[in-house]
Each structure stands twice: as C-alpha cells, then as structure tokens.
Amino acid sequence: MKVRIFKSFAFIFVLLFSLNAAVSQSAPRRIQKGNEAWRSYKKAQTAFESSDYSKAIEYAEEARSIRKQDAAWQTHILENTLKKARVRRAGDELDRVIPELKELGYNDAIEIIASHTEKLGAQYFNNSYSRVFDYISIYAHYTEADYLLGKVYRLEGEFEVALRYMKEAYDYAVNLDVPMEKYDLLYDLASLSYDLGKFDDFEKYSLAIVVDNEYYSDKAFMRSLKRIIDMDSQEAVDKFFLLYRCNNDLALKALIDLSEIYRTIGESEKTLKCSSLASIIAVSKLEYIIGQRINDYEFRGIGDLLIKCQRYEDIVKWGNENNIWKLFCNFAESAASDGKVVFARNLLRTLSKCEPEEYWRRYASEIIVNGITVNQ
C-alpha cells in the first residue's frame, strides 16, 4: 500500500515537474542587455545610409522580431501580476496598483509601466493599468523599422511593398521615439501614393499634415483670410500680406501640393484655401529670413520683400526648389478663378516686377496680357 502511494506521489511530482518545465520553456524571455531592438535598428540605419539595402532589410526585420519578443515578455509579466488577488483588488488605477506591485517586489512590471508612461505620459493611459496592458499590443510594432523598410523597398522599386510598410508605420506612429518624424512619414506616404496614382490616399496623407496646422483648422482665421480676398480691391493685396502671419511652416509643402492637385481637378474653393494659407506661411518664412540678414528690416509689402529676396542666391534657390515663386502665381490665379479678378491682377502686377526668379516674372506678365484678368 505504501509503495503504491509512493508511486502515485512520484508520478504526480514528475507530472508537475514536466508541466512546469514546459511552461518555463514556452514562457517569453526578457531581451538580454546588448540585444535590444534599437541596436538592430541602428545597424539597419547605418546600412541604409551606406546604400547596403540587403543588410538594412536584414537588420530592420531583426529589430521588428526582437520588438515582438519584448512585447510578448511584457505581456507575460503583466498577466502574471493579475494572478495575485491583492493586485486585482487594487482596481485599475495605476496610482493604486503600483504600490501593490512594489510591496510584492514585482520590479519588472513596475519597470514596464514606467517605460511606457514616461514616454507617452500617464494621461495617455488615463491612469489605467489595463490600458497600459492593452497598449503593449501596439508597442509590439517597431514603427521606425517599418518606416525604414518602406524607404528601402521604395528605392528598390517595390512601391506597393513600400506602401504597405509605410502604412503600417503610420498606423502605429504613436510608438515613434521622435514624434515629429510622423510628418516625414506622412510626406513620404503622400508622395508614394501620388507616384502610384492613388490620389485619394495622397489627399488623405497630405491633409493629415495640414490639419495639424493651427491656422488651417481655425475656421475663423480662414474666413478672415477669405474676407480680405473677397474685398477684391486695389488695397486688398497689401492688406492681406500685412495683416496675417503663420510661422509654422511644417505644412507648407503639403498645402502647395494640395493646391496643385485641387487646381488640376477644378476644385477652385479648396485651391484658394490651400494657396492662400501657403502664401501667408511662405511670406512669414521669407520675412523672418530677411529679418535675420538685414538690420532693422521692416515689412513694407510683398513686393518689397521679394525684391530683397533677389539679393540672396540661396533664398532664390530655396524658392525654386520648394515651388514658392510658383505658389504666389498660383495664388493669384486661384483668386481670379474665384472671381476676385482685381485682387488677382494687382498681385500679378507686383509679381511681374518683383518675383526673384525671371521665369515667374515673365509668367505673371503673360497672364496679365493673355490670361483671364485682361479685361479688368
């Protein structure tokens, strides 16, 4: 009898040991120091900058794999904390859960929570433990690595593959270590969508940049801009450029690109909205640059500003490369298309004399002579 009982206990012990070993083997492991995902990503960056695209892909995929493993480990750690009744009884508020974790010595869990709340802020998680837990499934996506892969595949001519990686990067842009990199990603997504003929996507990604501009999203400000244009008088152009400034130039390219597309498809109202704000941003930037180079500079109108820009080769080059001189002509034309011909003609006359680039001076002159403003 004793032998039988001993054998039963021995069997149970072996079974429990085997189960524990199986669980231990399947449990996600913490990433060892020196093997972190960011190290592989840095290698991918270096390879990309050296045009070694095969290595860039290899290291970027490695970084993505390590990040997923790290997320699996974090999920495992936080799941285990909930096996303790006192943690469950503490509720969901981080302020109440964290002291219990400290009491229990759950340092890994505390470290995981801190890594996410310090980066995104406790407010992002609404002080909720379950929201931190849920976020780890988002954290599992290595946004920078996805973006880098998108850039590599684009250079390799695999545009659809590039678009897929970049879209995934944008879906998880909250993970970016440098939040402003989101706009680089959006510009690349817009450009790639345009190249692929996906104009709806081009508009979507461009607008995602533009709507973050505080003035574009300010309906009162945009109505005010339009009211000045609607005055359609000789004085309206000077008043327009004297009254308004916008020093946030992040959306400048997106506004210019959108105005070009809207103009092509005959969306005159949207064209005027984008080109008018873009013109204000461009003038604000040029005024700042000139102010840095000319002592006691005072803005006396767009014509005077553009004449001063002519003195500086780098400014003229920048304007050409970024379609700034073209923008001003397009703004005038969009005003004319909106029926504000006096405003358009007055602006074009100024541009025909003052544009820093001769091509655009001639262009403005030809519109006056041959274009829609000739009879006014």
Side-chain angles (χ1 to χ4, degrees):
M1 184 68 174
K2 290 182 179 180
V3 173
R4 190 177 301 169
I5 293 172
F6 176 78
K7 286 182 177 179
S8 297
F9 276 115
F11 173 75
I12 292 171
F13 175 78
V14 170
L15 177 63
L16 289 174
F17 180 82
S18 299
L19 287 172
N20 185 60
V23 169
S24 298
Q25 287 175 2
S26 62
R29 294 182 179 181
R30 182 171 193 168
I31 303 300
Q32 295 300 307
K33 189 173 179 61
N35 296 324
E36 298 91 345
W38 65 265
R39 295 182 187 277
S40 294
Y41 173 66
K42 289 297 182 185
K43 292 178 184 176
Q45 271 190 316
T46 300
F48 178 74
E49 290 164 3
S50 302
S51 300
D52 188 348
Y53 299 138
S54 61
K55 280 294 182 184
I57 291 172
E58 178 187 337
Y59 288 127
E61 290 289 4
E62 182 178 82
R64 294 172 83 235
S65 178
I66 295 171
R67 173 63 69 86
K68 285 182 172 62
Q69 183 183 340
D70 187 32
W73 174 76
Q74 292 189 19
T75 299
H76 174 71
I77 293 298
L78 295 192
E79 279 178 342
N80 279 344
T81 66
L82 298 176
K83 293 179 181 178
K84 285 290 185 180
R86 61 187 291 182
V87 175
R88 296 196 300 273
R89 285 196 299 268
D92 192 48
E93 293 181 8
L94 287 172
D95 293 342
R96 297 183 61 185
V97 173
I98 290 174
E100 296 295 336
L101 298 177
K102 288 180 178 178
E103 286 276 341
L104 291 164
Y106 284 175
N107 296 325
D108 286 342
I110 294 168
E111 181 184 332
I112 290 166
I113 295 167
S115 70
H116 298 309
T117 55
E118 287 173 6
K119 177 181 176 181
L120 298 173
Q123 288 184 342
Y124 177 84
F125 301 102
N126 197 26
N127 197 35
S128 166
Y129 188 52
S130 60
R131 289 196 182 188
V132 175
F133 183 85
D134 291 342
Y135 167 74
I136 294 173
S137 64
I138 296 173
Y139 165 78
H141 298 264
Y142 201 153
T143 303
E144 287 89 350
D146 287 333
Y147 184 20
L148 182 63
L149 285 165
K151 289 190 282 191
V152 170
Y153 282 113
R154 185 179 187 181
L155 288 170
E156 291 289 297
E158 298 287 346
F159 299 129
E160 290 289 353
V161 178
L163 188 62
R164 176 167 58 82
Y165 274 109
M166 287 190 186
K167 280 184 174 181
E168 183 166 350
Y170 181 57
D171 287 342
Y172 299 97
V174 67
N175 290 334
L176 288 167
D177 288 332
V178 182
M180 292 299 288
E181 193 176 0
K182 177 184 80 170
Y183 297 104
D184 294 331
L185 173 57
L186 280 168
Y187 270 118
D188 279 341
L189 273 168
S191 174
L192 186 53
S193 298
Y194 182 86
D195 290 344
L196 288 168
K198 300 176 185 288
F199 297 117
D200 288 344
D201 282 348
F202 163 80
E203 181 183 31
K204 179 179 75 173
Y205 295 124
S206 296
L207 284 173
I209 299 168
V210 169
V211 295
D212 281 354
N213 182 284
E214 64 274 26
Y215 291 103
Y216 182 89
S217 301
D218 186 338
K219 293 181 180 179
F221 180 85
M222 296 307 297
R223 281 197 301 268
S224 182
L225 283 185
K226 186 66 166 59
R227 276 198 299 270
I228 299 297
I229 299 169
D230 288 346
M231 288 171 57
D232 199 29
S233 65
Q234 296 289 339
E235 297 79 23
V237 172
D238 288 337
K239 190 172 183 180
F240 181 86
F241 287 109
L242 279 167
L243 284 178
Y244 302 104
R245 287 294 177 270
C246 176
N247 294 313
N248 180 359
D249 66 348
L250 186 64
L252 179 58
K253 183 181 184 305
L255 285 164
I256 293 173
D257 291 344
L258 282 168
S259 68
E260 290 277 2
I261 289 293
Y262 289 145
R263 184 175 175 221
T264 300
I265 63 177
E267 292 274 8
S268 58
E269 185 177 335
K270 291 180 179 179
T271 304
L272 183 58
K273 181 179 182 179
C274 290
S275 63
S276 61
L277 180 57
S279 295
I280 289 296
I281 295 173
V283 165
S284 301
K285 187 174 182 68
L286 291 170
E287 180 185 16
Y288 173 79
I289 294 171
I290 292 298
Q292 297 296 302
R293 301 188 184 190
I294 300 176
N295 291 332
D296 301 321
Y297 169 75
E298 182 180 346
F299 183 82
R300 294 187 176 86
I302 185 172
D304 177 69
L305 176 65
L306 293 177
I307 287 172
K308 287 181 170 55
C309 288
Q310 294 179 24
R311 303 179 188 177
Y312 302 97
E313 183 179 342
D314 61 325
I315 296 178
V316 176
K317 181 181 178 182
W318 174 82
N320 282 324
E321 290 175 346
N322 293 277
N323 292 320
I324 304 301
W325 318 134
K326 180 182 181 182
L327 163 67
F328 295 136
C329 290
N330 285 351
F331 174 39
E333 290 183 273
S334 66
S337 296
D338 193 57
K340 308 306 177 289
V341 180
V342 176
F343 181 96
R345 183 184 62 198
N346 195 43
L347 177 55
L348 285 167
R349 283 177 173 167
T350 299
L351 297 176
S352 69
K353 299 173 183 176
C354 306
E355 279 267 36
E357 180 61 60
E358 182 182 355
Y359 173 87
W360 294 109
R361 290 198 296 272
R362 289 202 311 268
Y363 182 89
S365 297
E366 288 169 5
I367 295 174
I368 296 171
V369 174
N370 303 313
I372 51 180
T373 64
V374 68
N375 295 321
Q376 298 299 319

